[in-house]
Amino acid sequence: MNTAVLKMLISKIPHTHEDEIGCDDCFDELHKFAEMELKGKSPEKAMPLIQEHLDNCGECRQEYQALLEGMKELKEYS
Amino acid sequence: MLNWFKRRSQSSNSYQTNEEWISALKPPPDEEAIHQLRTYLVRGLKASLYKYVDRDLDDFVEDIAQDSVMKILDKYDTFRGDSKFTTWAMKVAVREGYSELRKKRYNDISLEQYSRYDPDEKDAVEIEHEQAGPDQLTHESMLVKKVMRIMEEELTDKQQKALQFLMIDQIPMTVVSEMMGSNRNAIYKLVHDARLKLKNRLEIEGIDPEEILNQM
């Protein structure tokens, strides 16, 4: 282990708590979260645990952004 | 026979509602629905993935759309109707696409290559301090050393190995989960548990995370 790992872990401590959800729970709700955002609602308020996971998990966040880009191209909500 | 006529008449239309999609994808699935779903996913995936695919985007997207359709047919009954069906389907396809991209990017990395991890190996802070003169070992660096020791005491070998892969080697979690014979959710939870252990121990020791960060 080195200080780089320590620094990254420590920097996430303020956002760390027992009730965080994992990637599976996030994935289960992601389409709903995306739909709210595409409809101009505030999914981060309605589903804060999903938002928190997206803030913490780079891969889920990347997929979420990609989902939004795909859906915008498909113009389902415009 | 009635269903066949219904499906025939629907074939010329696009599928607008969730009910129409679900009905058309029930076994035996309607070929026109599969074709439309595949076409839809290809369009969406191109927009989703073009930034990350260097070449042969069309071929890659076609393959991913095909695999995604198979997955969707396999689990369409888990769709709860809480969004448009197409959004749910696109979510499945995006996950498929990114998982494949991450694996492709790291397919040369084998578990053997990364099993060289040695928990006894000197870490960067130790080397740095060995190189520094005694007068340079300040109170601040002692605190960092202390927290390093805490981290090594608190985290399991598995957690340390996962962190090594993710944070030092910069390997995507999707790939790390395969390397460690696990899944992405379990690796995320493993790292979450590591953060939680460290947080709790720092609280017990009365160490402020901000103070450590300021000294690093």
Side-chain angles (χ1 to χ4, degrees):
Chain A
M1 302 301 282
N2 65 29
T3 49
V5 173
L6 181 65
K7 195 171 182 177
M8 280 185 261
L9 283 180
I10 300 271
S11 66
K12 285 179 178 282
I13 279 183
H15 314 289
T16 297
H17 60 83
E18 300 264 359
D19 302 329
E20 282 178 47
I21 60 167
C23 301
D24 285 355
D25 288 336
C26 178
F27 186 73
D28 281 349
E29 303 290 333
L30 203 63
H31 54 289
K32 205 165 132 186
F33 195 90
E35 184 165 278
M36 286 184 76
E37 178 149 347
L38 291 161
K39 285 180 172 175
K41 296 180 181 173
S42 302
E44 73 283 358
K45 287 180 187 160
M47 305 166 84
L49 289 178
I50 304 294
Q51 181 63 57
E52 185 181 66
H53 182 81
L54 293 174
D55 292 340
N56 281 331
C57 178
E59 292 193 21
C60 288
R61 187 167 61 246
Q62 188 179 39
E63 290 168 18
Y64 177 61
Q65 292 301 332
L67 175 60
L68 291 180
E69 284 175 28
M71 294 312 294
K72 281 174 189 165
E73 169 67 21
L74 293 163
K75 297 183 170 59
E76 286 273 2
Y77 298 95
S78 52
Chain B
M1 185 64 87
L2 185 63
N3 280 344
W4 184 82
F5 276 117
K6 273 186 186 169
R7 285 179 179 215
R8 284 284 292 181
S9 64
Q10 206 170 39
S11 292
S12 56
N13 300 321
S14 58
Y15 300 87
Q16 299 293 332
T17 66
N18 290 349
E19 291 72 24
E20 283 169 350
W21 276 113
I22 296 299
S23 165
L25 294 176
K26 276 180 185 164
D30 182 36
E31 283 183 20
E32 177 60 20
I34 290 178
H35 171 72
Q36 286 193 26
L37 180 60
R38 197 164 172 279
T39 306
Y40 182 90
L41 295 180
V42 165
R43 268 182 57 212
L45 282 169
K46 278 185 184 172
S48 296
L49 299 177
Y50 78 95
K51 290 179 195 162
Y52 303 99
V53 181
D54 307 334
R55 53 187 176 160
D56 302 328
L57 175 67
D58 288 352
D59 290 346
F60 181 74
V61 161
E62 288 285 346
D63 288 347
I64 295 299
Q66 185 63 38
D67 292 347
S68 302
V69 167
M70 299 308 289
K71 283 211 163 156
I72 290 163
L73 286 175
D74 194 43
K75 61 181 194 180
Y76 72 92
D77 55 345
T78 65
F79 172 60
R80 301 183 301 257
D82 48 4
S83 74
K84 285 192 176 189
F85 174 77
T86 44
T87 309
W88 178 85
M90 196 60 213
K91 173 188 80 169
V92 173
V94 166
R95 166 65 65 96
E96 188 71 14
Y98 271 88
S99 297
E100 200 53 40
L101 269 180
R102 290 172 186 135
K103 286 178 202 165
K104 264 179 182 285
R105 214 163 270 187
Y106 288 88
N107 63 0
D108 293 334
I109 298 170
S110 66
L111 182 56
E112 283 73 32
Q113 262 180 287
Y114 282 93
S115 60
R116 286 175 291 147
Y117 167 69
D118 176 4
D120 296 326
E121 199 176 317
K122 282 180 182 174
D123 54 56
V125 75
E126 279 177 324
I127 293 165
E128 187 183 310
H129 287 166
E130 277 175 9
Q131 289 167 345
D135 55 331
Q136 290 172 279
L137 291 176
T138 60
H139 165 73
E140 288 78 16
S141 69
M142 295 305 286
L143 178 65
V144 173
K145 279 185 86 170
K146 182 181 177 183
V147 178
M148 281 292 294
R149 200 164 51 247
I150 287 173
M151 179 170 74
E152 285 167 0
E153 283 168 12
E154 289 291 329
L155 307 193
T156 64
D157 286 349
K158 197 175 176 184
Q159 284 173 320
Q160 293 193 31
K161 187 172 241 179
L163 289 167
Q164 165 83 26
F165 288 154
L166 293 166
M167 295 180 172
I168 305 298
D169 302 326
Q170 300 279 304
I171 303 173
M173 199 153 51
T174 304
V175 180
V176 171
S177 62
E178 285 208 344
M179 290 164 72
M180 295 182 72
S182 185
N183 60 64
R184 187 161 126 191
N185 191 60
I187 297 295
Y188 183 87
K189 291 280 187 186
L190 194 71
V191 175
H192 170 242
D193 183 59
R195 285 191 274 123
L196 209 52
K197 278 181 179 176
L198 197 58
K199 180 183 183 179
N200 292 339
R201 179 72 186 275
L202 292 182
E203 275 174 12
I204 290 168
E205 301 277 343
I207 299 172
D208 179 6
E210 275 295 315
E211 191 189 344
I212 307 163
L213 286 175
N214 289 338
Q215 296 180 16
M216 294 182 86

